[in-house]
């Protein structure tokens, strides 16, 4: 043993002795008792360490504890004290901190409090502590909140006669015979005959090395295992087992299944969590206001923690989940509302008047009539920027719903007030697109039109320096560009409005960098075409205000959407070919590959080659994937826009967020594996011109579920409806940006429960109205704060 390990061994021996003390000297601090532990586990492991100081100490401790098993409790106490004394005197250097703190604790305080390190818990020594920390369990509180990932129902005990072939069953039996046979050098086969009053069954375990299941003839135990058969007789292989007296922890009940890690046996983890839960759960303080529990018919925290770990019934588990999920969402909503209130109280923003004549001029000369939804959203925005509190609003609207004109109106208001505005887009091609549509929307204003500059990475040399100068002097009033806008060298004259398009494509830092360029606290508008159900958006981006454009401009043509089975593939290709021959263009989206971007890129290259070589040899194909350099991607996009490419083959990681009116076909491979909202977004890439457009969904072997999902996309064109269906069918994982928002950091609550999201938000708002700083609920305040902090870290 290396000396580090010896130190660890000493530390855990100390833990064990303290545990023995705490448990009233019942010789249960380690399985099998102290003497057996020392003689069979610890001492043999010292053999190579000969006369090292630590080995000597351990041997002396073993000496103190000789005969411990047969001593009465009062004499055991003296032996343990003596052994601990040996350990203390024998310390050659300070033991690891955690262990030392532990040893210094007076016995009356030996029960660890919630914030103490996990090493203070029985069975967890410094070595296992590392494994627990791997699971994110640092403290006792973490353990208490480390919920099972699943449950197995082992509550129904069967007799041996009742065992069913193929089922996982739990039964009580006596071990009649045990035999061990060596199969290969390191593998043994342990066979036991198990019996009850109705019959017998053979059980086998394959074991490796010196490990041998602790099964002895004559024992009566609870077994759980899958029932198989051999030569027509039932048998069970690799069954889990447990002493009946040991309290039915691993069987005979609904058994929690925890995510574990290598080196930490599931049974041990369960045992430790059981100890933590049975001691601490009844002692934790409730943090939710009593009136809320009563109103919602929710159980208290102690009961809920007990039930979620070790359910007494499936109904009990459900009530626990309801209570804990409610708590999580409630905390989250409080956090969001507190952040929102703090922002709304911020002053120092610049008031921009929505009544300026230039704005009226802009709105009056638009080439179309605003939809009702656009009008409403423009009013939201003008209301926000008319106040000193900085705006932070998210604008959601399906592809083509007309978000650009809203952005333009805000920019006009900023410029009319004598300030500057900026719009940042994730790619050059999108920035250029915005530049073109915004300048053309502003054109009818004549000389009163704001002066707009495009700033992207490809602007170089003198031209760039010139633009920099004009931005700094205020000669340029609106800057549209990529993250070139947030380069160090860019200085604004008086920037007060920052607009970010497709915000999920930017990190928090990039948005912050834009804000940092501003004059005072800027107003911020983030736009997204990703439809997220309203209640989810309010929760995920809860500190933002939310506006939705839920109405399409008139005259949009419907895109003909059709799903094709494997046998109909050639029909889909024929449709694409027909369109291409008529001079129009197509997108092909490659199947989703989850392993990595690299694998996905490789698959895309193969698909591109296959299509070009075998399917469309007479068409010009282009390829776009996530491993390409930004400049290469831009280049391919430009070629597509300039009609040098007929068919653009792309992976899903590359959002083809580009307006190509000549593109009339969107063909999606492996469509059943995409989220509905994402399919809908792909579909939004076509149908932008006057030609009839098609969305062709290919699925090779869709399951029942996959077929149903494709049918939903075929029949529905409302992005928000599809997003909601997605949420119900697949959970929130598919929504862009949610991962980063940290909102998925929920253990119990389901974000698909839209009703509960709304309810908790209203209740949180109600509580904050009476007690805006949660003074009456310090533990609740602590939890909300911790959640906000962990969100900030996640970002
Ligand atoms: P998105 O929300 O995808 O950014 P855009 O702002 O690019 O949508 O608008 C899509 C197209 O619809 C543009 O060509 C725009 O000029 C046009 N448009 C926007 N609003 C209206 C409207 N109220 N009536 C008619 N066409 C509109
Ligand atoms: Mg747009």
């Amino acid at each position: 043993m290396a000396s580090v390990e010896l130190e660890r061994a000493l530390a855990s021996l100390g833990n064990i002795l303290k545990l023995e003390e705490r448990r009233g000297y019942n010789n249960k601090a380690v399985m099998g008792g102290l003497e057996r532990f020392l003689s069979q586990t610890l001492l043999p492991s010292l053999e190579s360490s000969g006369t090292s100081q630590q080995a000597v100490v351990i041997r002396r401790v073993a000496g103190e504890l000789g005969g411990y098993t047969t001593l009465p409790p009062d004499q055991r106490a003296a032996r343990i004290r003596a052994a601990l004394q040996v350990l203390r005197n024998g310390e050659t250097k300070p033991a690891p901190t955690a262990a030392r703190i532990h040893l210094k604790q007076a016995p009356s305080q030996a029960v660890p409090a919630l914030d103490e390190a996990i090493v203070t818990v029985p069975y967890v020594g410094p070595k296992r502590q590392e494994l627990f920390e791997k699971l994110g369990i640092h403290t006792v509180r973490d353990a208490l909140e480390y919920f099972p990932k699943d449950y197995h129902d082992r509550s129904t005990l069967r007799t041996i006669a009742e065992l069913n072939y193929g089922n996982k069953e739990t039964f009580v039996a006596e071990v009649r015979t045990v035999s061990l046979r060596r199969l290969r050098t390191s593998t043994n086969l342990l066979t036991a005959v198990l019996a009850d009053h109705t019959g017998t069954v053979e059980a086998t375990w394959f074991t490796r090395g010196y490990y041998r299941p602790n099964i002895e003839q004559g024992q009566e135990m609870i077994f759980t295992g899958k029932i198989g058969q051999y030569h027509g007789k039932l048998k069970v292989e690799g069954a889990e087992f447990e002493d009946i007296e040991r309290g039915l922890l691993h069987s005979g009940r609904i058994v929690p299944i925890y995510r574990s890690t290598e080196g930490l046996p599931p049974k041990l983890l369960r045992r430790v969590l059981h100890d933590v839960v049975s001691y601490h759960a009844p002692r934790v303080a409730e943090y939710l206001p009593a009136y809320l529990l009563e109103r919602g018919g929710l159980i208290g925290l102690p009961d809920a923690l007990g039930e979620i770990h070790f359910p007494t019934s499936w109904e009990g588990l459900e009530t626990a989940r309801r209570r804990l999920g409610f708590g999580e969402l409630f905390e989250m909503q409080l956090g969001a509302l507190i952040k929102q209130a703090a922002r709304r109280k911020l002053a120092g923003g610049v008031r921009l008047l929505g009544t300026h004549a230039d704005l009226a001029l802009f709105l009056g000369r638009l080439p179309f009539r605003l939809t009702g939804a656009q009008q409403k959203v423009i009013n939201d925005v003008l209301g926000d920027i008319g106040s000193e509190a900085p705006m932070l609003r998210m604008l959601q609207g399906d592809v083509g719903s007309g978000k650009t004109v809203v952005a333009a109106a805000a920019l006009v208001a900023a410029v009319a007030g004598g300030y500057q505005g900026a719009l940042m887009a994730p790619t050059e091609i999108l920035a250029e697109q915005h530049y073109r549509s915004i300048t053309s929307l502003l054109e009818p204003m004549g000389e009163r039109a704001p002066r707009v500059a495009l700033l992207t990475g490809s602007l170089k040399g003198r031209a760039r320096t010139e633009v920099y100068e004009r931005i700094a002097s205020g000669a340029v009033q609106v800057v549209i560009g990529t993250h070139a806008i947030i380069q160090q060298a860019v200085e604004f004259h008086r920037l007060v409005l920052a607009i970010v398009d497709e915000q999920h494509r930017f990190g928090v830092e990039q948005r912050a960098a834009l804000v940092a360029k501003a004059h005072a606290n800027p107003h911020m508008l983030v736009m997204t075409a990703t439809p997220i159900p309203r209640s989810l958006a309010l929760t995920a981006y809860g500190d933002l205000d939310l506006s939705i454009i839920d109405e399409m401009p008139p005259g949009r043509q419907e895109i003909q959407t059709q799903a094709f089975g494997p046998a109909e593939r050639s029909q889909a290709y024929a449709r694409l070919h027909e369109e291409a021959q008529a001079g129009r263009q197509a997108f092909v989206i490659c199947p989703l590959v989850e392993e990595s971007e690299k694998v996905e890129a490789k698959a895309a290259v193969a698909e591109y080659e296959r299509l070009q070589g075998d399917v469309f040899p007479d068409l010009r194909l282009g390829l776009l994937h996530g491993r390409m350099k930004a400049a290469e991607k831009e280049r391919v996009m430009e070629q597509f826009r300039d009609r040098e490419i007929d068919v653009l083959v792309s992976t899903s990681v590359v959002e083809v967020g580009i307006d190509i009116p000549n593109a009339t076909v969107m063909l999606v491979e492996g469509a059943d594996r995409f989220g509905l909202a994402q399919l809908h977004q792909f579909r939004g890439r076509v149908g932008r011109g006057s030609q009839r457009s098609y969305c062709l969904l290919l699925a090779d072997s869709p399951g029942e579920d996959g077929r149903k999902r494709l049918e939903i996309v075929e029949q529905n064109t409302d992005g928000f409806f599809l997003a909601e269906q997605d949420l119900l069918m697949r959970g929130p994982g598919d929504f862009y940006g949610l991962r980063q928002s940290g909102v998925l950091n929920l253990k119990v609550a389901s974000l698909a429960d839209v009703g509960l999201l709304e309810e908790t938000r209203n209740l949180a708002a109600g509580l904050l109205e009476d007690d805006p700083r949660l003074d009456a609920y310090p533990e609740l305040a602590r939890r909300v704060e911790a959640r906000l902090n962990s969100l900030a870290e996640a970002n």
Side-chain angles (χ1 to χ4, degrees), residues 399-400 403-404 430 433-434 501-502 527 529 688:
V399 176
K403 295 182 291 294
T404 315
L430 287 175
Q433 201 168 290
H434 274 302
D501 190 27
E502 295 306 338
M527 306 196 294
R688 314 194 72 142

Side-chain angles (χ1 to χ4, degrees), residues 368-371 374 398-404 553-554 556 688:
F368 43 71
R369 268 188 65 174
L370 292 173
T371 62
Q374 283 172 318
D398 222 337
V399 176
S401 62
K403 295 182 291 294
T404 315
R556 257 322 118 74
R688 314 194 72 142

Side-chain angles (χ1 to χ4, degrees), residues 645-724:
I645 289 175
D646 303 309
V647 182
L648 184 60
V649 179
S650 168
T651 61
S652 60
V653 294
V654 181
E655 271 171 88
V656 201
I658 178 182
D659 202 350
I660 311 260
N662 189 49
T664 55
V665 177
M666 167 59 68
L667 186 152
V668 184
E669 279 284 356
D672 53 321
R673 297 180 56 199
F674 286 103
L676 305 185
Q678 201 174 2
L679 289 175
H680 179 67
Q681 280 203 304
F682 291 144
R683 175 165 62 186
R685 302 303 170 215
V686 295
R688 314 194 72 142
S690 52
Q691 301 294 334
R692 181 169 187 87
S693 294
Y694 305 87
C695 178
L696 315 174
L697 305 173
L698 266 60
D700 265 343
S701 51
E704 173 75 21
D705 182 55
R707 256 199 304 276
K708 214 163 85 203
R709 289 153 41 76
L710 294 183
E711 217 167 90
I712 295 178
V713 181
E714 279 179 314
Q715 289 163 5
N716 293 279
T717 56
D718 176 352
F720 287 97
F721 172 79
L722 291 172
E724 230 158 79

Side-chain angles (χ1 to χ4, degrees), residues 543-614:
D543 56 327
L544 280 73
D545 294 306
L546 183 64
S547 293
I548 299 179
I549 304 187
D550 52 5
E551 182 186 352
M552 281 289 181
R556 257 322 118 74
Q557 37 173 316
E558 201 156 292
I559 298 154
Q560 192 184 317
T561 306
Q562 193 179 347
F564 295 85
E568 300 156 329
R569 174 171 297 269
S570 58
Q571 286 176 39
Y573 287 152
R575 160 69 64 203
L576 189 157
H577 198 254
E578 222 170 87
E579 287 292 305
Q581 287 211 310
R584 292 185 282 271
Q585 292 162 284
F587 295 95
V588 172
I589 303 292
C590 299
L592 197 63
V593 176
E594 260 143 16
E595 288 99 288
S596 71
E597 205 170 77
K598 193 169 157 188
V599 181
E600 181 163 75
K602 227 176 120 187
V605 172
E607 176 70 359
Y608 163 78
E609 283 168 356
R610 185 183 73 84
L611 289 174
Q612 179 74 83
D614 305 344

Side-chain angles (χ1 to χ4, degrees), residues 38-39 69 117-118 169 302 305 322 365 383 390 394 404 415 429 520 551 564 589 599 621 661 675 733 764 785 790:
L38 282 161
S39 66
T69 319
I118 190 68
E169 308 268 38
L305 288 172
R322 221 159 61 75
R365 296 198 178 164
M394 174 182 273
T404 315
V415 172
I429 203 142
E551 182 186 352
F564 295 85
I589 303 292
V599 181
L621 269 60
E785 204 171 291
S790 78

